[in-house]
Amino acid sequence: MFLLKSIPKVDKFIAKKEFKTLGSALVMSLTKELLSELRENILNGRVTTFSEDELVKELLQRYTELTKPSLQTLINATGIIVHTNLGRSLIDADAFDRVKELMTNYNNLEFNLESGKRGERYSLISKSVCSLLGCEDVLIVNNNASAVFLILNTFARKKEVVVSRGELVEIGGSFRVPDVMKQSGAKLVEVGTTNKTHLYDYEDAIGKKTSMLMKVHKSNYSIEGFSSDVEFGEIVKLACEKGLIDYYDMGSGHLFDLPYGLDEPSVLDFMKLNPSLLSFSGDKLLGSVQAGIIVGKKKYIDMLKKNQLLRMLRVDKLTLALLEESFKAILLGNKEQIPTARMLFRSTDELREDAMQVQQKLKKNIKTNIVDTKTLIGGGTTPNKTIPSVALVIESKNIKVKKLQKLFRQKSIIGRIEDDEFLLDFRTIQKTQLQQVVDAIDEITDV
Ligand SMILES: *Cc1c(COP(=O)(O)O)cnc(C)c1O
Protein backbone atom coordinates (compact mmCIF):
# COMPACT_ATOMS: atom_id res chain seq x y z
CA MET A 1 0.00 0.00 0.00
CA PHE A 2 2.40 2.58 -1.26
CA LEU A 3 -0.29 5.26 -1.59
CA LEU A 4 -1.42 4.90 2.02
CA LYS A 5 2.13 5.31 3.21
CA SER A 6 2.54 8.50 1.22
CA ILE A 7 -0.34 10.25 3.04
CA PRO A 8 1.38 13.15 4.79
CA LYS A 9 1.63 13.19 8.58
CA VAL A 10 -0.71 15.70 10.21
CA ASP A 11 2.08 17.59 12.06
CA LYS A 12 4.11 17.99 8.96
CA PHE A 13 1.21 18.96 6.77
CA ILE A 14 -0.11 21.71 9.05
CA ALA A 15 3.38 23.21 9.28
CA LYS A 16 3.38 24.10 5.59
CA LYS A 17 4.12 27.70 4.77
CA GLU A 18 0.79 28.17 2.96
CA PHE A 19 -1.03 27.84 6.31
CA LYS A 20 1.23 30.15 8.31
CA THR A 21 -1.18 33.07 8.54
CA LEU A 22 -4.31 30.97 9.04
CA GLY A 23 -6.10 30.00 12.24
CA SER A 24 -4.18 26.94 13.45
CA ALA A 25 -7.09 25.19 15.20
CA LEU A 26 -9.21 25.30 12.07
CA VAL A 27 -6.27 24.19 9.86
CA MET A 28 -5.76 21.26 12.22
CA SER A 29 -9.37 20.09 12.17
CA LEU A 30 -9.67 20.53 8.41
CA THR A 31 -6.40 18.63 7.89
CA LYS A 32 -7.58 15.69 9.98
CA GLU A 33 -10.84 15.62 8.08
CA LEU A 34 -9.13 15.85 4.69
CA LEU A 35 -6.50 13.20 5.41
CA SER A 36 -9.00 10.75 6.83
CA GLU A 37 -11.19 11.21 3.74
CA LEU A 38 -8.12 10.56 1.61
CA ARG A 39 -7.31 7.38 3.51
CA GLU A 40 -10.83 6.11 3.08
CA ASN A 41 -10.85 6.92 -0.64
CA ILE A 42 -7.56 5.13 -1.18
CA LEU A 43 -8.86 2.06 0.62
CA ASN A 44 -12.07 1.91 -1.39
CA GLY A 45 -10.16 2.50 -4.59
CA ARG A 46 -11.70 5.85 -5.47
CA VAL A 47 -8.35 7.62 -5.28
CA THR A 48 -5.42 6.07 -7.12
CA THR A 49 -3.13 9.06 -7.19
CA PHE A 50 -2.77 12.41 -5.41
CA SER A 51 -0.22 15.13 -4.83
CA GLU A 52 0.46 17.21 -1.73
CA ASP A 53 -0.07 20.35 -3.77
CA GLU A 54 -3.60 19.23 -4.53
CA LEU A 55 -4.21 18.57 -0.85
CA VAL A 56 -2.96 22.03 0.08
CA LYS A 57 -5.21 23.60 -2.53
CA GLU A 58 -8.21 21.64 -1.34
CA LEU A 59 -7.56 22.61 2.27
CA LEU A 60 -7.24 26.28 1.41
CA GLN A 61 -10.51 26.11 -0.48
CA ARG A 62 -12.33 24.52 2.44
CA TYR A 63 -10.80 27.08 4.79
CA THR A 64 -12.02 30.00 2.67
CA GLU A 65 -15.46 28.50 2.31
CA LEU A 66 -15.80 28.08 6.06
CA THR A 67 -14.47 31.47 7.07
CA LYS A 68 -16.15 33.76 4.61
CA PRO A 69 -19.06 35.71 6.09
CA SER A 70 -22.35 33.99 5.38
CA LEU A 71 -24.27 37.23 5.12
CA GLN A 72 -23.23 39.21 2.09
CA THR A 73 -24.18 42.53 0.57
CA LEU A 74 -26.69 42.35 -2.26
CA ILE A 75 -28.14 44.80 -4.72
CA ASN A 76 -31.91 44.71 -4.51
CA ALA A 77 -33.10 45.24 -8.06
CA THR A 78 -36.51 43.65 -7.47
CA GLY A 79 -38.11 47.02 -6.79
CA ILE A 80 -39.70 45.68 -3.61
CA ILE A 81 -38.67 48.11 -0.87
CA VAL A 82 -39.62 46.12 2.22
CA HIS A 83 -38.15 42.80 1.08
CA THR A 84 -38.08 40.44 4.05
CA ASN A 85 -35.87 37.88 2.29
CA LEU A 86 -33.26 40.55 1.57
CA GLY A 87 -33.13 41.99 5.08
CA ARG A 88 -36.34 44.02 5.03
CA SER A 89 -35.22 47.55 5.92
CA LEU A 90 -31.96 49.40 5.44
CA ILE A 91 -30.40 51.37 8.26
CA ASP A 92 -29.11 54.83 7.41
CA ALA A 93 -25.29 54.85 7.35
CA ASP A 94 -24.99 58.08 9.39
CA ALA A 95 -27.43 56.83 11.98
CA PHE A 96 -25.42 53.64 12.22
CA ASP A 97 -22.22 55.61 12.75
CA ARG A 98 -23.76 57.58 15.58
CA VAL A 99 -24.93 54.37 17.23
CA LYS A 100 -21.49 52.77 16.90
CA GLU A 101 -20.07 55.00 19.63
CA LEU A 102 -22.81 53.86 22.01
CA MET A 103 -22.34 50.19 21.18
CA THR A 104 -18.59 50.20 21.67
CA ASN A 105 -18.81 51.90 25.09
CA TYR A 106 -20.73 51.37 28.30
CA ASN A 107 -23.94 53.38 28.46
CA ASN A 108 -26.98 54.19 30.61
CA LEU A 109 -29.16 51.40 29.19
CA GLU A 110 -30.60 50.61 32.62
CA PHE A 111 -29.00 53.27 34.75
CA ASN A 112 -30.60 56.44 36.02
CA LEU A 113 -27.88 59.09 35.88
CA GLU A 114 -29.68 61.40 38.27
CA SER A 115 -30.35 59.00 41.11
CA GLY A 116 -27.43 56.70 40.41
CA LYS A 117 -29.81 53.77 40.70
CA ARG A 118 -31.10 51.15 38.33
CA GLY A 119 -33.05 52.71 35.50
CA GLU A 120 -35.59 51.36 33.06
CA ARG A 121 -34.47 50.12 29.66
CA TYR A 122 -37.66 51.14 27.86
CA SER A 123 -37.89 54.63 29.32
CA LEU A 124 -34.97 55.79 27.18
CA ILE A 125 -36.93 55.74 23.99
CA SER A 126 -40.35 56.55 25.42
CA LYS A 127 -39.90 60.33 25.39
CA SER A 128 -39.29 60.63 21.68
CA VAL A 129 -41.93 58.05 20.77
CA CYS A 130 -44.57 59.52 23.06
CA SER A 131 -44.03 63.08 21.92
CA LEU A 132 -44.18 61.94 18.33
CA LEU A 133 -47.28 59.80 18.66
CA GLY A 134 -49.04 61.44 21.55
CA CYS A 135 -49.33 58.13 23.38
CA GLU A 136 -49.06 57.61 27.11
CA ASP A 137 -46.37 54.96 26.96
CA VAL A 138 -44.46 52.60 24.70
CA LEU A 139 -42.87 49.17 24.95
CA ILE A 140 -40.38 47.63 22.55
CA VAL A 141 -40.05 43.88 21.98
CA ASN A 142 -38.18 41.66 19.53
CA ASN A 143 -40.62 41.92 16.62
CA ASN A 144 -44.28 42.48 16.01
CA ALA A 145 -45.00 38.75 16.31
CA SER A 146 -43.74 38.92 19.90
CA ALA A 147 -45.84 42.02 20.49
CA VAL A 148 -48.99 40.15 19.44
CA PHE A 149 -48.03 37.20 21.62
CA LEU A 150 -47.19 39.30 24.69
CA ILE A 151 -50.39 41.33 24.47
CA LEU A 152 -52.63 38.29 24.08
CA ASN A 153 -50.82 36.38 26.80
CA THR A 154 -51.06 39.29 29.22
CA PHE A 155 -54.70 40.24 28.71
CA ALA A 156 -56.44 37.28 27.20
CA ARG A 157 -54.97 34.09 28.63
CA LYS A 158 -57.89 31.79 29.41
CA LYS A 159 -60.16 34.56 28.19
CA GLU A 160 -61.79 35.38 24.90
CA VAL A 161 -60.65 37.64 22.11
CA VAL A 162 -63.10 38.66 19.42
CA VAL A 163 -61.64 38.94 15.94
CA SER A 164 -63.07 39.08 12.43
CA ARG A 165 -62.87 35.93 10.30
CA GLY A 166 -61.65 38.04 7.40
CA GLU A 167 -58.58 39.03 9.41
CA LEU A 168 -57.30 35.62 10.47
CA VAL A 169 -54.37 35.90 8.13
CA GLU A 170 -51.22 33.96 7.47
CA ILE A 171 -48.23 36.19 6.94
CA GLY A 172 -44.97 35.11 5.27
CA GLY A 173 -42.77 32.63 7.12
CA SER A 174 -45.91 30.80 8.34
CA PHE A 175 -46.87 33.32 11.01
CA ARG A 176 -50.54 32.50 11.39
CA VAL A 177 -52.59 34.82 13.53
CA PRO A 178 -54.97 32.10 14.81
CA ASP A 179 -52.07 29.84 15.77
CA VAL A 180 -50.23 32.60 17.61
CA MET A 181 -53.42 33.41 19.47
CA LYS A 182 -53.83 29.81 20.53
CA GLN A 183 -50.20 29.55 21.64
CA SER A 184 -50.65 32.60 23.81
CA GLY A 185 -53.44 30.90 25.72
CA ALA A 186 -56.15 33.19 24.37
CA LYS A 187 -59.42 31.77 23.13
CA LEU A 188 -60.28 33.00 19.72
CA VAL A 189 -63.86 33.98 18.98
CA GLU A 190 -64.24 34.38 15.23
CA VAL A 191 -66.99 36.65 14.03
CA GLY A 192 -68.46 37.58 10.67
CA THR A 193 -67.77 35.83 7.40
CA THR A 194 -64.71 35.88 5.15
CA ASN A 195 -65.95 38.86 3.17
CA LYS A 196 -68.18 40.72 5.64
CA THR A 197 -68.03 41.59 9.28
CA HIS A 198 -70.30 44.12 10.98
CA LEU A 199 -70.07 45.92 14.28
CA TYR A 200 -73.05 43.91 15.58
CA ASP A 201 -71.04 40.72 14.99
CA TYR A 202 -68.51 41.92 17.55
CA GLU A 203 -71.25 43.09 19.88
CA ASP A 204 -73.09 39.76 19.73
CA ALA A 205 -69.91 37.84 20.51
CA ILE A 206 -69.13 39.71 23.70
CA GLY A 207 -69.70 37.55 26.76
CA LYS A 208 -68.55 37.10 30.34
CA LYS A 209 -65.13 35.81 29.33
CA THR A 210 -64.38 38.43 26.68
CA SER A 211 -61.38 40.58 27.48
CA MET A 212 -60.42 42.09 24.16
CA LEU A 213 -61.63 43.17 20.74
CA MET A 214 -58.81 42.74 18.29
CA LYS A 215 -58.30 43.95 14.74
CA VAL A 216 -55.58 42.56 12.49
CA HIS A 217 -54.23 44.25 9.37
CA LYS A 218 -54.87 42.01 6.37
CA SER A 219 -51.29 42.68 5.23
CA ASN A 220 -50.87 40.46 2.23
CA TYR A 221 -54.31 40.18 0.75
CA SER A 222 -57.37 42.29 0.13
CA ILE A 223 -60.97 41.46 -0.57
CA GLU A 224 -62.49 43.16 -3.55
CA GLY A 225 -66.18 43.36 -4.41
CA PHE A 226 -68.93 42.52 -1.94
CA SER A 227 -67.05 43.05 1.29
CA SER A 228 -66.90 45.23 4.36
CA ASP A 229 -65.11 45.28 7.65
CA VAL A 230 -65.38 47.35 10.78
CA GLU A 231 -63.19 50.40 11.14
CA PHE A 232 -60.88 50.36 14.13
CA GLY A 233 -62.49 53.56 15.44
CA GLU A 234 -65.81 51.77 15.87
CA ILE A 235 -64.10 48.88 17.63
CA VAL A 236 -62.40 51.29 20.03
CA LYS A 237 -65.76 52.87 20.82
CA LEU A 238 -67.50 49.55 21.38
CA ALA A 239 -64.66 48.27 23.57
CA CYS A 240 -64.83 51.43 25.64
CA GLU A 241 -68.59 51.09 26.13
CA LYS A 242 -68.24 47.49 27.24
CA GLY A 243 -65.19 48.01 29.44
CA LEU A 244 -62.96 45.87 27.20
CA ILE A 245 -59.51 46.37 25.75
CA ASP A 246 -59.21 47.22 22.07
CA TYR A 247 -56.09 46.25 20.18
CA TYR A 248 -55.01 46.70 16.59
CA ASP A 249 -52.16 44.63 15.18
CA MET A 250 -51.23 47.04 12.40
CA GLY A 251 -48.49 44.86 10.93
CA SER A 252 -46.53 47.57 9.21
CA GLY A 253 -46.67 50.98 10.84
CA HIS A 254 -45.61 54.24 9.25
CA LEU A 255 -45.36 57.71 10.64
CA PHE A 256 -45.91 59.81 7.54
CA ASP A 257 -48.47 59.99 4.75
CA LEU A 258 -47.62 57.68 1.87
CA PRO A 259 -46.96 58.96 -1.66
CA TYR A 260 -48.57 57.86 -4.95
CA GLY A 261 -52.09 58.07 -3.56
CA LEU A 262 -51.65 55.14 -1.19
CA ASP A 263 -54.37 55.62 1.38
CA GLU A 264 -53.02 53.35 4.10
CA PRO A 265 -53.53 55.23 7.42
CA SER A 266 -50.46 55.94 9.54
CA VAL A 267 -49.84 55.16 13.21
CA LEU A 268 -50.65 58.81 13.92
CA ASP A 269 -54.09 58.43 12.34
CA PHE A 270 -54.88 55.50 14.60
CA MET A 271 -53.52 57.24 17.69
CA LYS A 272 -56.17 59.91 17.20
CA LEU A 273 -58.77 57.25 18.01
CA ASN A 274 -57.33 56.98 21.54
CA PRO A 275 -56.89 53.19 21.41
CA SER A 276 -55.97 50.92 24.30
CA LEU A 277 -53.13 49.29 22.39
CA LEU A 278 -51.53 49.30 18.94
CA SER A 279 -48.58 47.29 17.75
CA PHE A 280 -46.47 47.42 14.61
CA SER A 281 -43.14 46.31 13.18
CA GLY A 282 -39.96 48.36 13.48
CA ASP A 283 -38.65 47.21 10.13
CA LYS A 284 -41.57 47.40 7.76
CA LEU A 285 -42.60 50.89 6.59
CA LEU A 286 -41.18 52.46 9.72
CA GLY A 287 -37.86 51.70 8.07
CA SER A 288 -35.88 50.90 11.17
CA VAL A 289 -34.46 47.84 12.88
CA GLN A 290 -36.30 44.59 13.64
CA ALA A 291 -38.57 45.28 16.59
CA GLY A 292 -42.15 45.17 17.74
CA ILE A 293 -43.47 48.49 18.95
CA ILE A 294 -46.39 48.59 21.33
CA VAL A 295 -47.99 51.94 22.08
CA GLY A 296 -51.08 52.90 24.00
CA LYS A 297 -52.46 53.55 27.44
CA LYS A 298 -50.01 53.53 30.33
CA LYS A 299 -52.08 51.23 32.55
CA TYR A 300 -51.96 48.52 29.90
CA ILE A 301 -48.30 49.00 29.03
CA ASP A 302 -47.52 48.73 32.76
CA MET A 303 -49.28 45.38 32.86
CA LEU A 304 -47.29 44.19 29.83
CA LYS A 305 -44.08 45.18 31.59
CA LYS A 306 -45.00 42.95 34.53
CA ASN A 307 -45.40 39.85 32.37
CA GLN A 308 -42.39 37.55 32.89
CA LEU A 309 -42.49 36.77 29.18
CA LEU A 310 -41.14 40.23 28.46
CA ARG A 311 -37.75 39.12 29.71
CA MET A 312 -37.62 36.62 26.85
CA LEU A 313 -38.71 39.14 24.27
CA ARG A 314 -36.40 41.87 25.52
CA VAL A 315 -34.44 43.87 22.97
CA ASP A 316 -30.80 44.80 23.01
CA LYS A 317 -29.34 48.29 23.28
CA LEU A 318 -28.55 48.15 19.57
CA THR A 319 -32.24 47.89 18.74
CA LEU A 320 -33.20 50.70 21.09
CA ALA A 321 -30.46 53.00 19.83
CA LEU A 322 -31.30 52.43 16.17
CA LEU A 323 -35.02 52.83 16.80
CA GLU A 324 -34.42 56.08 18.61
CA GLU A 325 -32.48 57.35 15.59
CA SER A 326 -35.44 56.58 13.32
CA PHE A 327 -38.04 58.14 15.60
CA LYS A 328 -35.90 61.26 16.03
CA ALA A 329 -35.48 61.60 12.28
CA ILE A 330 -39.26 61.65 11.88
CA LEU A 331 -39.74 63.90 14.90
CA LEU A 332 -37.33 66.43 13.39
CA GLY A 333 -38.99 66.17 9.99
CA ASN A 334 -36.00 64.45 8.34
CA LYS A 335 -37.63 61.46 6.76
CA GLU A 336 -34.97 61.49 4.01
CA GLN A 337 -32.70 60.07 6.74
CA ILE A 338 -34.71 56.88 6.59
CA PRO A 339 -33.72 54.76 3.59
CA THR A 340 -37.18 53.18 3.25
CA ALA A 341 -38.81 56.60 3.03
CA ARG A 342 -36.10 57.82 0.69
CA MET A 343 -36.75 54.99 -1.75
CA LEU A 344 -40.50 55.28 -1.43
CA PHE A 345 -40.61 58.99 -2.18
CA ARG A 346 -38.21 59.04 -5.15
CA SER A 347 -39.95 60.29 -8.28
CA THR A 348 -39.93 58.24 -11.47
CA ASP A 349 -37.90 61.05 -13.09
CA GLU A 350 -35.11 60.50 -10.57
CA LEU A 351 -35.29 56.76 -11.15
CA ARG A 352 -35.16 57.27 -14.92
CA GLU A 353 -32.02 59.41 -14.51
CA ASP A 354 -30.29 56.56 -12.68
CA ALA A 355 -31.38 54.10 -15.35
CA MET A 356 -30.07 56.39 -18.09
CA GLN A 357 -26.79 56.83 -16.27
CA VAL A 358 -26.33 53.07 -16.20
CA GLN A 359 -27.38 52.70 -19.81
CA GLN A 360 -24.96 55.38 -21.03
CA LYS A 361 -22.01 53.77 -19.27
CA LEU A 362 -22.59 50.36 -20.85
CA LYS A 363 -20.52 48.99 -23.68
CA LYS A 364 -22.11 49.93 -26.99
CA ASN A 365 -23.12 46.45 -28.14
CA ILE A 366 -25.42 45.65 -25.21
CA LYS A 367 -29.09 46.12 -25.89
CA THR A 368 -31.10 47.50 -22.97
CA ASN A 369 -34.42 49.24 -22.68
CA ILE A 370 -35.63 51.70 -20.08
CA VAL A 371 -39.26 50.96 -19.25
CA ASP A 372 -41.97 52.31 -16.98
CA THR A 373 -43.07 49.63 -14.61
CA LYS A 374 -44.91 49.04 -11.35
CA THR A 375 -43.64 47.60 -8.11
CA LEU A 376 -44.98 46.52 -4.74
CA ILE A 377 -43.79 48.08 -1.52
CA GLY A 378 -43.75 44.61 0.05
CA GLY A 379 -43.69 43.30 3.61
CA GLY A 380 -47.47 43.14 3.72
CA THR A 381 -47.59 46.92 3.98
CA THR A 382 -50.07 47.87 1.27
CA PRO A 383 -51.68 44.67 -0.01
CA ASN A 384 -52.21 44.45 -3.76
CA LYS A 385 -51.28 48.08 -4.36
CA THR A 386 -48.47 49.08 -6.66
CA ILE A 387 -46.39 52.20 -7.07
CA PRO A 388 -44.81 53.38 -10.33
CA SER A 389 -41.17 52.60 -10.99
CA VAL A 390 -38.55 52.53 -13.73
CA ALA A 391 -36.56 49.49 -14.82
CA LEU A 392 -33.86 48.52 -17.24
CA VAL A 393 -34.70 45.52 -19.41
CA ILE A 394 -31.65 43.49 -20.37
CA GLU A 395 -32.14 42.09 -23.83
CA SER A 396 -29.95 39.19 -24.68
CA LYS A 397 -30.41 37.06 -27.78
CA ASN A 398 -28.42 34.10 -26.58
CA ILE A 399 -29.12 34.05 -22.83
CA LYS A 400 -32.58 32.99 -21.62
CA VAL A 401 -34.21 35.11 -18.91
CA LYS A 402 -33.96 32.46 -16.18
CA LYS A 403 -30.26 32.08 -16.93
CA LEU A 404 -29.85 35.84 -16.98
CA GLN A 405 -31.46 36.11 -13.57
CA LYS A 406 -29.07 33.48 -12.23
CA LEU A 407 -25.99 35.14 -13.71
CA PHE A 408 -26.95 38.42 -12.08
CA ARG A 409 -27.60 36.62 -8.82
CA GLN A 410 -24.07 35.23 -8.96
CA LYS A 411 -22.93 38.83 -9.10
CA SER A 412 -25.05 39.67 -6.04
CA ILE A 413 -27.75 41.46 -8.01
CA ILE A 414 -31.31 40.26 -7.47
CA GLY A 415 -33.58 41.29 -10.34
CA ARG A 416 -37.03 40.17 -11.40
CA ILE A 417 -38.65 38.49 -14.37
CA GLU A 418 -41.80 39.99 -15.85
CA ASP A 419 -43.51 39.02 -19.09
CA ASP A 420 -40.55 36.85 -20.00
CA GLU A 421 -38.13 39.74 -19.63
CA PHE A 422 -35.40 40.25 -17.07
CA LEU A 423 -35.50 43.61 -15.36
CA LEU A 424 -33.49 45.63 -12.93
CA ASP A 425 -35.84 47.95 -11.02
CA PHE A 426 -34.30 51.24 -9.93
CA ARG A 427 -36.76 51.88 -7.08
CA THR A 428 -34.50 49.83 -4.78
CA ILE A 429 -31.06 50.18 -6.36
CA GLN A 430 -28.95 52.57 -4.28
CA LYS A 431 -27.13 55.44 -5.98
CA THR A 432 -23.82 54.11 -4.68
CA GLN A 433 -24.45 50.80 -6.48
CA LEU A 434 -24.92 52.10 -10.02
CA GLN A 435 -21.35 51.43 -11.18
CA GLN A 436 -21.54 47.89 -9.84
CA VAL A 437 -24.68 47.37 -11.89
CA VAL A 438 -22.91 48.70 -15.01
CA ASP A 439 -19.96 46.36 -14.48
CA ALA A 440 -22.21 43.36 -13.93
CA ILE A 441 -24.23 43.99 -17.10
CA ASP A 442 -21.02 44.43 -19.11
CA GLU A 443 -19.47 41.24 -17.78
CA ILE A 444 -22.57 39.07 -18.05
CA THR A 445 -23.65 40.06 -21.52
CA ASP A 446 -20.10 39.96 -22.85
CA VAL A 447 -19.97 36.17 -23.02
C1 LIG B 1 -45.75 41.44 9.51
C2 LIG B 1 -46.86 41.24 10.44
C3 LIG B 1 -46.65 40.65 11.69
C4 LIG B 1 -45.31 40.16 12.12
O1 LIG B 1 -44.43 41.22 12.31
P1 LIG B 1 -42.86 40.92 12.50
O2 LIG B 1 -42.29 42.24 12.86
O3 LIG B 1 -42.38 40.40 11.20
O4 LIG B 1 -42.73 39.92 13.58
C5 LIG B 1 -47.74 40.51 12.54
N1 LIG B 1 -48.96 40.93 12.17
C6 LIG B 1 -49.19 41.49 10.97
C7 LIG B 1 -50.59 41.91 10.63
C8 LIG B 1 -48.15 41.67 10.06
O5 LIG B 1 -48.37 42.23 8.87
Side-chain angles (χ1 to χ4, degrees):
M1 284 313 263
F2 169 74
L3 260 185
L4 274 182
K5 276 199 187 130
S6 60
I7 294 177
K9 294 273 170 298
V10 173
D11 301 3
K12 257 188 152 171
F13 189 75
I14 61 171
K16 282 180 179 294
K17 63 176 190 312
E18 288 90 339
F19 308 145
K20 270 241 161 66
T21 57
L22 309 184
S24 56
L26 183 54
V27 171
M28 171 70 102
S29 72
L30 287 174
T31 300
K32 283 184 181 161
E33 180 188 287
L34 185 69
L35 297 183
S36 96
E37 273 173 34
L38 180 66
R39 181 180 309 276
E40 213 168 287
N41 283 333
I42 291 171
L43 286 172
N44 64 26
R46 242 179 270 157
V47 166
T48 51
T49 164
F50 70 87
S51 72
E52 283 206 19
D53 283 350
E54 277 168 16
L55 292 178
V56 169
K57 224 172 116 191
E58 174 64 23
L59 192 124
L60 288 174
Q61 216 165 33
R62 289 185 188 189
Y63 188 93
T64 315
E65 194 57 36
L66 257 169
T67 50
K68 76 169 187 224
S70 44
L71 270 176
Q72 58 182 96
T73 306
L74 296 179
I75 294 180
N76 176 4
T78 63
I80 297 169
I81 300 174
V82 184
H83 199 311
T84 300
N85 301 148
L86 304 184
R88 239 189 220 177
S89 285
L90 308 188
I91 302 296
D92 182 64
D94 291 335
F96 202 78
D97 279 345
R98 285 192 290 275
V99 164
K100 183 179 165 196
E101 174 80 12
L102 268 173
M103 291 308 109
T104 49
N105 286 289
Y106 287 110
N107 55 57
N108 59 331
L109 180 65
E110 288 188 1
F111 186 73
N112 186 323
L113 280 168
E114 226 163 281
S115 66
K117 296 203 176 109
R118 190 174 189 275
E120 212 220 274
R121 171 177 299 245
Y122 306 101
S123 68
L124 293 172
I125 194 169
S126 66
K127 256 196 219 131
S128 52
V129 178
C130 291
S131 53
L132 185 64
L133 300 178
C135 53
E136 291 178 10
D137 206 358
V138 56
L139 184 61
I140 312 293
V141 289
N142 240 321
N143 51 21
N144 189 33
S146 347
V148 174
F149 191 80
L150 180 68
I151 288 173
L152 291 172
N153 182 268
T154 306
F155 300 109
R157 212 168 69 88
K158 296 186 178 154
K159 292 185 188 141
E160 292 177 358
V161 181
V162 183
V163 63
S164 161
R165 244 183 212 108
E167 295 170 359
L168 293 172
V169 292
E170 172 172 324
I171 295 143
S174 70
F175 173 90
R176 283 184 166 184
V177 174
D179 293 343
V180 174
M181 295 182 81
K182 270 186 215 124
Q183 284 284 329
S184 73
K187 184 167 183 282
L188 188 63
V189 180
E190 304 170 27
V191 296
T193 57
T194 306
N195 58 333
K196 279 205 174 208
T197 304
H198 304 276
L199 191 63
Y200 59 74
D201 290 323
Y202 288 86
E203 211 165 348
D204 292 348
I206 295 172
K208 273 207 197 85
K209 293 187 104 186
T210 310
S211 72
M212 180 183 279
L213 307 184
M214 180 179 181
K215 188 170 172 68
V216 182
H217 189 271
K218 290 195 186 75
S219 295
N220 48 11
Y221 89 114
S222 59
I223 300 176
E224 304 297 321
F226 189 64
S227 73
S228 67
D229 54 7
V230 180
E231 301 257 333
F232 185 51
E234 294 182 71
I235 292 176
V236 173
K237 241 199 261 158
L238 179 61
C240 188
E241 274 167 33
K242 305 279 179 187
L244 302 170
I245 298 170
D246 58 85
Y247 164 44
Y248 186 18
D249 167 16
M250 286 184 68
S252 167
H254 54 279
L255 305 175
F256 41 77
D257 288 340
L258 301 181
Y260 299 110
L262 296 167
D263 55 3
E264 203 60 47
S266 72
V267 181
L268 293 152
D269 293 324
F270 288 118
M271 281 316 295
K272 284 184 200 141
L273 306 171
N274 194 21
S276 307
L277 292 166
L278 284 183
S279 78
F280 50 96
S281 291
D283 56 352
K284 289 187 178 171
L285 269 179
L286 193 71
S288 193
V289 70
Q290 180 189 302
I293 299 156
I294 305 170
V295 292
K297 300 210 168 116
K298 185 164 185 327
K299 62 175 174 184
Y300 298 125
I301 304 266
D302 280 344
M303 287 167 80
L304 290 171
K305 284 180 183 167
K306 289 199 186 104
N307 190 332
Q308 285 297 315
L309 250 178
L310 180 61
R311 180 61 187 241
M312 289 158 251
L313 311 174
R314 175 168 101 167
V315 290
D316 183 43
K317 55 191 177 299
L318 182 59
T319 303
L320 289 173
L322 288 170
L323 263 184
E324 187 170 24
E325 284 287 336
S326 309
F327 277 109
K328 284 223 170 109
I330 300 285
L331 195 59
L332 300 174
N334 301 328
K335 67 171 179 282
E336 71 284 353
Q337 287 176 5
I338 295 178
T340 301
R342 238 174 9 233
M343 287 184 261
L344 187 59
F345 279 87
R346 289 191 79 197
S347 71
T348 46
D349 285 346
E350 288 173 273
L351 302 179
R352 198 169 295 106
E353 261 170 44
D354 283 357
M356 277 159 67
Q357 203 180 322
V358 167
Q359 198 179 39
Q360 279 154 12
K361 284 187 178 165
L362 291 175
K363 290 186 189 145
K364 290 253 164 5
N365 56 353
I366 297 167
K367 187 142 172 40
T368 58
N369 240 332
I370 296 174
V371 297
D372 287 318
T373 180
K374 286 193 174 92
T375 183
L376 296 159
I377 298 179
T381 54
T382 46
N384 294 338
K385 289 189 191 137
T386 55
I387 58 171
S389 192
V390 174
L392 194 69
V393 177
I394 314 291
E395 294 187 13
S396 174
K397 281 204 190 73
N398 28 21
I399 315 175
K400 290 211 170 77
V401 281
K402 278 266 179 213
K403 177 80 198 252
L404 212 46
Q405 188 176 38
K406 188 172 175 191
L407 290 170
F408 275 90
R409 197 160 66 234
Q410 283 163 354
K411 295 211 175 285
S412 306
I413 298 177
I414 315 299
R416 72 166 194 266
I417 293 173
E418 214 170 84
D419 298 332
D420 207 33
E421 282 186 313
F422 179 68
L423 9 111
L424 303 173
D425 191 316
F426 282 79
R427 177 69 60 195
T428 44
I429 299 176
Q430 310 300 302
K431 271 202 171 295
T432 50
Q433 298 172 328
L434 295 180
Q435 187 57 46
Q436 204 182 324
V437 173
V438 173
D439 294 343
I441 301 173
D442 276 343
E443 283 163 35
I444 288 167
T445 47
D446 227 17
V447 289

